[in-house]
């Protein structure tokens, strides 16, 4: 497993932006697919976005496509989620995670960070 440390998040008004960060202080980051997930109150955790090891390939949930951008800086062992045009329905705890084998199974998770979007 890899230790993932999240930062960012907070309370914003609808239409505004936030950026989340996910760092791997101990390394063991650059060779793997990384992803963002979120869990809203009373709902199951859902996929948000993923990025391959080089950053050249990304995928997004339909609900965030065109508004969120996932990126990574392997030199800094850090991944980002830029969230623009936020909506109240984006309110959730956001988690970053690592897919070690590329099979869609995420084996290491960040501590989670709250994002609250007010209307």
């Amino acid at each position: 497993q890899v230790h993932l440390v999240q930062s960012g998040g907070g309370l914003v008004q609808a239409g505004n932006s936030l950026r989340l960060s996910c760092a791997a202080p101990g390394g063991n980051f650059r060779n793997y697919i990384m992803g963002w997930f979120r869990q809203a109150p009373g709902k199951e955790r859902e996929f948000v976005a993923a990025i391959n090891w080089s950053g050249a390939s990304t995928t997004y949930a339909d609900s965030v496509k065109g508004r969120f951008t996932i990126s990574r800086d392997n030199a800094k062992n850090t991944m980002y989620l830029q969230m623009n045009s936020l909506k109240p329905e984006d309110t959730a705890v956001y988690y970053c995670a690592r897919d070690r084998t590329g099979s869609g199974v995420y084996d290491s998770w960040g501590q989670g960070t709250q994002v609250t979007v007010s209307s």
Side-chain angles (χ1 to χ4, degrees):
Q1 292 191 338
V2 61
H3 182 50
L4 299 175
V5 179
Q6 296 180 225
S7 60
L11 171 63
V12 295
Q13 288 189 326
N16 285 350
S17 300
L18 279 175
R19 189 176 80 158
L20 305 182
S21 299
C22 174
N28 204 13
F29 170 88
R30 64 184 61 204
N31 295 325
Y32 305 106
I33 293 171
M34 298 293 296
W36 288 99
F37 294 78
R38 67 186 182 186
Q39 187 166 20
K43 295 186 177 181
E44 294 190 353
R45 185 172 61 198
E46 65 175 359
F47 169 80
V48 174
I51 188 167
N52 77 330
W53 70 273
S54 68
S57 178
T58 58
T59 59
Y60 296 93
D62 288 343
S63 59
V64 306
K65 202 171 293 183
R67 300 186 298 120
F68 290 12
T69 302
I70 188 172
S71 62
R72 66 192 297 164
D73 184 340
N74 286 338
K76 296 181 178 179
N77 289 331
T78 302
M79 174 179 67
Y80 306 96
L81 185 67
Q82 179 66 42
M83 305 183 292
N84 298 331
S85 302
L86 282 161
K87 304 175 181 180
E89 51 263 44
D90 294 319
T91 295
V93 177
Y94 284 71
Y95 298 90
C96 65
R98 183 192 74 168
D99 178 356
R100 185 176 65 86
T101 64
S103 62
V105 177
Y106 289 79
D107 68 325
S108 298
W109 293 83
Q111 81 275 19
T113 186
Q114 177 70 47
V115 171
T116 303
V117 184
S118 63
S119 56

